[in-house]
Amino acid sequence: MAILCTTTSPAEKEHEPKQDLVKDQTPLIFNPSLLNLQSQIPNQFIWPDEEKPSIDIPELNVPFIDLSSQNSTLEAPRVIAEACTKHGFFLVVNHGVSESLISDANRLMERFFDMPLAGKQKAQRKPGESCGYASSFTGRFSTKLPWKETLSFQFSNEKSGSRTVQDYFSDTLGQEFEQFGKVYQDYCEAMSSLSLKIMELLGLSLGVNRDYFRGFFEENDSIMRLNHYPPCQTPDLTLGTGPHCDPSSLTILHQDHVNGLQVFVDNQWQSIRPNPKAFVVNIGDTFMALSNGIFKSCLHRAVVNRESARKSMAFFLCPKKDKVVKPPSDILEKMTTRKYPDFTWSMFLEFTQKHYRADVNTLDSFSNWVITNKNPI
């Protein structure tokens, strides 16, 4: 969801806003078909030596959670707790999401990114906003640009039956994108339902009533993102997405067949192999705060290659924007201190969009910012 962080000693970075925001200049246009014709990619896409991608890395042993199994409520909480206290990543299979829906969502994603740049720019993201089309975030940052383009849009699971996604495509890109809107509305609803099932297991993993987190996220204000990582002639110099922890609560990622996702565990980068029949799930900063730091929001990134484009779909589960984020009493009664102050998702989202280029220290930096500025919730 965001980018930037050193890989040499992530935990020791200073908690301060990043100074690479674009200021009063015409941003670079990310057009990989033209950029790859140059003898070298622009300097803005070249990352420092200590942050460049590793060539050979081991594969991360990520547990599989079978949601169709009768033992899912018995064994799964223990397995999830073990993974989430270490790195926050696990895979879910037999998840109940229609294969045809996943296929349609992937097909339409490919159609969108195959459009001419001018067509995609109809949905251009505006400064300070989290949704819309972004070509490598060139409008936000001036250094360490990611080699990718994205389309992000909001999803609301309000009981009023809002068709937020469907309306977004028609209003932003025109009525000819009505089918896009219907497919991604259905996909987001499926992701929201899957998120709530996972939240039940996370609650059990933390020793909380299984309905607690499900109820907390029932009316979520989430974000859906389509990612396209084009081939790059010098993949050893750049990154598709820089090292970051997701500010949201939970990420449900579907990868295509191309490798690219890497996680920083045990002081080294490790890969998660694509599995089209599984969703990659990881804990975000907001749920880390809800667990009072018990479950980890782990550093991860995406790499690119010369031969193949890589695409992925990420659903970022977020609380309703005015919901107060604080751990349940069942957790706090077992711990002596609160690690993070109360906050709302709208405050945290604004911090990551306008004040801070997200990294491994985003949550700590935000907490210090809240306390220093005495921002009321």
Side-chain angles (χ1 to χ4, degrees), residues 30-32 112-113 115-126 130-137 148-153 168 172-173 226 228:
F30 178 66
N31 189 336
F112 177 81
F113 287 121
M115 290 170 53
L117 182 61
K120 291 178 285 192
Q121 287 179 328
K122 290 181 180 179
Q124 188 72 41
R125 179 187 297 194
K126 297 178 181 177
S130 58
C131 292
Y133 171 73
S135 56
S136 183
F137 300 140
K148 71 173 179 179
E149 55 182 344
T150 62
L151 178 66
S152 308
F153 41 93
Y168 171 81
T172 306
L173 292 167
L226 311 178
H228 176 223

Side-chain angles (χ1 to χ4, degrees), residues 60-88:
L60 180 64
N61 183 20
V62 188
F64 283 78
I65 306 299
D66 186 345
L67 295 184
S68 70
S69 171
Q70 293 182 348
N71 295 324
S72 62
T73 57
L74 299 175
E75 183 68 11
R78 181 192 64 79
V79 175
I80 289 174
E82 184 177 326
C84 290
T85 52
K86 185 175 183 180
H87 51 65

Side-chain angles (χ1 to χ4, degrees), residues 14-287:
E14 292 183 355
H15 300 175
E16 61 178 16
K18 302 301 173 284
Q19 304 299 319
D20 60 349
L21 299 178
V22 170
K23 296 180 181 179
D24 301 324
Q25 64 183 55
T26 302
L28 177 71
I29 295 177
F30 178 66
N31 189 336
S33 61
L34 296 179
L35 293 176
N36 275 327
L37 295 176
Q38 301 179 19
S39 58
Q40 186 176 359
I41 61 175
N43 288 334
Q44 294 96 318
F45 294 96
I46 298 177
W47 287 63
D49 290 342
E50 68 273 14
E51 298 181 88
K52 287 173 183 171
S54 310
I55 299 175
D56 296 312
I57 64 171
E59 186 174 326
L60 180 64
N61 183 20
V62 188
F64 283 78
I65 306 299
D66 186 345
L67 295 184
S68 70
S69 171
Q70 293 182 348
N71 295 324
S72 62
T73 57
L74 299 175
E75 183 68 11
R78 181 192 64 79
V79 175
I80 289 174
E82 184 177 326
C84 290
T85 52
K86 185 175 183 180
H87 51 65
F89 277 79
F90 56 94
L91 302 175
V92 295
V93 293
N94 295 322
H95 39 69
V97 181
S98 163
E99 288 186 15
S100 62
L101 178 59
I102 297 173
S103 177
D104 287 346
N106 274 289
R107 175 176 52 82
L108 293 178
M109 172 171 57
E110 189 165 355
R111 277 183 56 187
F112 177 81
F113 287 121
D114 282 346
M115 290 170 53
L117 182 61
K120 291 178 285 192
Q121 287 179 328
K122 290 181 180 179
Q124 188 72 41
R125 179 187 297 194
K126 297 178 181 177
E129 294 187 357
S130 58
C131 292
Y133 171 73
S135 56
S136 183
F137 300 140
T138 56
R140 291 183 64 194
F141 306 120
S142 59
T143 62
K144 297 183 183 179
L145 294 179
W147 193 265
K148 71 173 179 179
E149 55 182 344
T150 62
L151 178 66
S152 308
F153 41 93
Q154 294 178 330
F155 167 76
S156 175
N157 198 45
E158 293 183 357
K159 294 179 180 179
S160 59
S162 170
R163 307 293 290 177
T164 313
V165 177
Q166 197 164 330
D167 292 342
Y168 171 81
F169 276 89
S170 295
D171 295 345
T172 306
L173 292 167
Q175 288 302 315
E176 63 269 30
F177 285 84
E178 182 179 3
Q179 182 61 22
F180 282 69
K182 289 180 179 178
V183 168
Y184 288 119
Q185 180 74 44
D186 290 345
Y187 187 87
C188 286
E189 289 175 2
M191 290 298 100
S192 180
S193 296
L194 178 58
S195 298
L196 298 181
K197 292 178 185 177
I198 295 171
M199 279 298 158
E200 291 184 2
L201 296 177
L202 290 174
L204 294 173
S205 300
L206 288 164
V208 176
N209 185 293
R210 67 181 301 158
D211 293 328
Y212 182 87
F213 290 120
R214 181 186 183 95
F216 188 88
F217 288 98
E218 192 81 47
E219 292 191 276
N220 57 82
D221 287 325
S222 297
I223 298 171
M224 180 74 200
R225 177 167 296 166
L226 311 178
N227 299 302
H228 176 223
Y229 303 92
C232 178
Q233 63 173 341
T234 51
D236 55 323
L237 297 180
T238 190
L239 288 168
T241 300
H244 68 285
C245 297
D246 294 338
S248 52
S249 298
L250 193 74
T251 302
I252 302 181
L253 179 77
H254 187 270
Q255 303 188 81
D256 66 6
H257 63 284
V258 181
N259 276 299
L261 176 61
Q262 299 181 351
V263 184
F264 197 74
V265 183
D266 295 332
N267 208 37
Q268 65 177 333
W269 287 105
Q270 302 184 48
S271 67
I272 295 183
R273 181 186 301 179
N275 182 338
K277 293 187 178 297
F279 286 108
V280 182
V281 179
N282 69 274
I283 300 299
D285 286 342
T286 301
F287 195 85

